[in-house]
Amino acid sequence: MAMLYTVNKSPLERNALESCLRHATVGTAILLIEDGVYGAMAQTAFTPALEQALQKLHIYALKPDIEARGIQDKILPGIALVDYGGFVDLVAQHSPVMAWL
Amino acid sequence: MATKKKIMIVNRKAPHGTIYAFESLEMALITAAFDQDVTLAFLDDGVYQLVKNQDTRPIETKNFTRAYRALPDYEIEKIYVERESLNARGLTPADLAVAVEVLDADTLAQRIMQQDVVFSA
Amino acid sequence: MKFTVLVNEGPYTHQASDTAFHFTKAALEKGHHVLRVFFYHDGVLNATALSVPPRDDRDVVKRWSTLAQQYQLDLVACIAAAERRGILDSEDAKRHGLEMDNLAPRFRISGLGQLVEAAIQADRVVVFGD
């Protein structure tokens, strides 16, 4: 079964997402939550790294956190948005689940 | 318990500045008491937790880092440290207070994937 | 499916407790079984009965208590982490010769073993922290 990583930090402040991507094997799912959703934005300094990651990983972002931060129109295409129920489904479909804090 | 679970405790934070390293170590020791298949992984700033010669007397906090040396006594034998994290910090295994297995990031990722439970703080 | 949830941060300063709450609620509403929500590190501060947020904001502590009542949810704060940070049930308070206790309704205080036990029994463990 593929694993699920959650990341809750902006990639421009901490290295959690960068480190997470370095430890993501092909097919791993990554869910960006809380400040981690800033990592889902297009046209940031981190966007090229994310575009590259999208080639081999499934990347999701938590929609309530995107809306709370006002970045709903700036999300990179290819990133799937989920609500809290979708978060639960991702956890049920993957194992293990690890939080990159 | 019928089958042992593979439980990994991931340490990515430096000691002393925050309490996460100390309380994660307590979690590791308790987890080991449950006779499960326990692994400790140290990467990113978490590798600083294992540096030898830590002396907390000048900051008047408890020097919990001595307990890392006792991990084998708790039958925690799988202690992984990530090579890239050591290199980025100018450290080698000789700088650490405990005997560890140094793994590259790809191998560590494989080990994470094999777990049933991954705790992090 | 059986879930165990670990909350590593207190209310308000970090979003972790909010996210953990919404996740737990969604899991329960989908019919999953949440074996235990365990509070560790500053997460034990979610269990204070003395939190009084302004009326126009969410009440994080009460929200956990209410969810626990609704779903018979087991909310457990780590005893070592809780005593260190001033969260005590009546028994702990008595043991330490203190005259007051402050554990919020529907929470209980117990050892870290309760986290490990719940992790062993669960199909999935999800960690919320900072």
Side-chain angles (χ1 to χ4, degrees), chain A residues 58-85:
Chain A
H58 303 285
I59 302 185
Y60 303 84
L62 198 59
K63 196 161 175 252
D65 282 328
I66 287 171
E67 289 174 348
R69 287 160 179 78
I71 56 172
Q72 48 271 56
D73 298 331
K74 298 181 184 299
I75 300 302
L76 191 68
I79 293 177
L81 305 190
V82 296
D83 58 11
Y84 291 107

Side-chain angles (χ1 to χ4, degrees), chain B residues 2-110:
Chain B
T3 54
K4 286 190 186 185
K5 284 219 168 179
K6 292 171 80 72
I7 303 177
M8 180 184 272
I9 299 170
V10 173
N11 297 277
R12 294 185 51 247
K13 290 180 178 159
H16 314 307
T18 59
I19 200 170
Y20 301 107
F22 176 21
E23 288 185 330
S24 290
L25 179 61
E26 292 192 327
M27 186 192 283
L29 300 180
I30 297 283
T31 306
F34 275 73
D35 194 30
Q36 302 295 305
D37 184 356
V38 181
T39 301
L40 300 192
F42 296 85
L43 63 152
D44 296 323
D45 276 359
V47 302
Y48 288 131
Q49 294 180 27
L50 300 178
V51 167
K52 63 186 179 191
N53 298 329
Q54 295 185 49
D55 179 2
T56 61
R57 282 173 298 185
I59 59 169
E60 296 183 14
T61 60
K62 178 172 164 171
N63 195 352
F64 66 95
T65 65
R66 291 165 200 263
Y68 290 115
R69 279 176 291 182
L71 289 171
D73 299 337
Y74 288 84
E75 293 183 3
I76 299 178
E77 278 145 9
K78 278 179 263 184
I79 306 175
Y80 302 148
V81 172
E82 190 196 61
R83 179 173 290 114
E84 289 85 340
S85 299
L86 281 178
N87 291 347
R89 287 158 185 80
L91 298 172
T92 71
D95 295 307
L96 308 181
V98 285
V100 300
E101 191 176 338
V102 179
L103 303 178
D104 59 36
D106 290 342
T107 310
L108 182 60
Q110 296 293 333

Side-chain angles (χ1 to χ4, degrees), chain A residues 1-3 5 9 14-17 19-20 22-26 28 95-101, chain B residues 10 12-13 43-44 82 84-85 89 104-106 108-110 112-118 120-121:
Chain A
M1 196 182 292
M3 57 186 167
Y5 287 154
K9 297 293 186 307
R14 308 277 191 97
N15 78 339
L17 181 53
S19 187
C20 165
R22 196 166 68 236
H23 299 88
T25 50
V26 175
T28 295
S95 180
V97 180
M98 173 181 163
W100 291 78
L101 303 170
Chain B
V10 173
R12 294 185 51 247
K13 290 180 178 159
L43 63 152
D44 296 323
E82 190 196 61
E84 289 85 340
S85 299
R89 287 158 185 80
D104 59 36
D106 290 342
L108 182 60
Q110 296 293 333
I112 296 171
M113 198 160 64
Q114 290 160 4
Q115 303 301 311
D116 296 306
V117 176
V118 182
S120 50

Side-chain angles (χ1 to χ4, degrees), chain B residues 23, chain C residues 41 44 77-88 92 109:
Chain B
E23 288 185 330
Chain C
H41 304 293
V44 298
C78 168
I79 186 163
E83 288 185 342
R84 204 173 261 148
R85 292 166 177 84
I87 305 292
L88 298 127
D92 288 327
I109 289 185

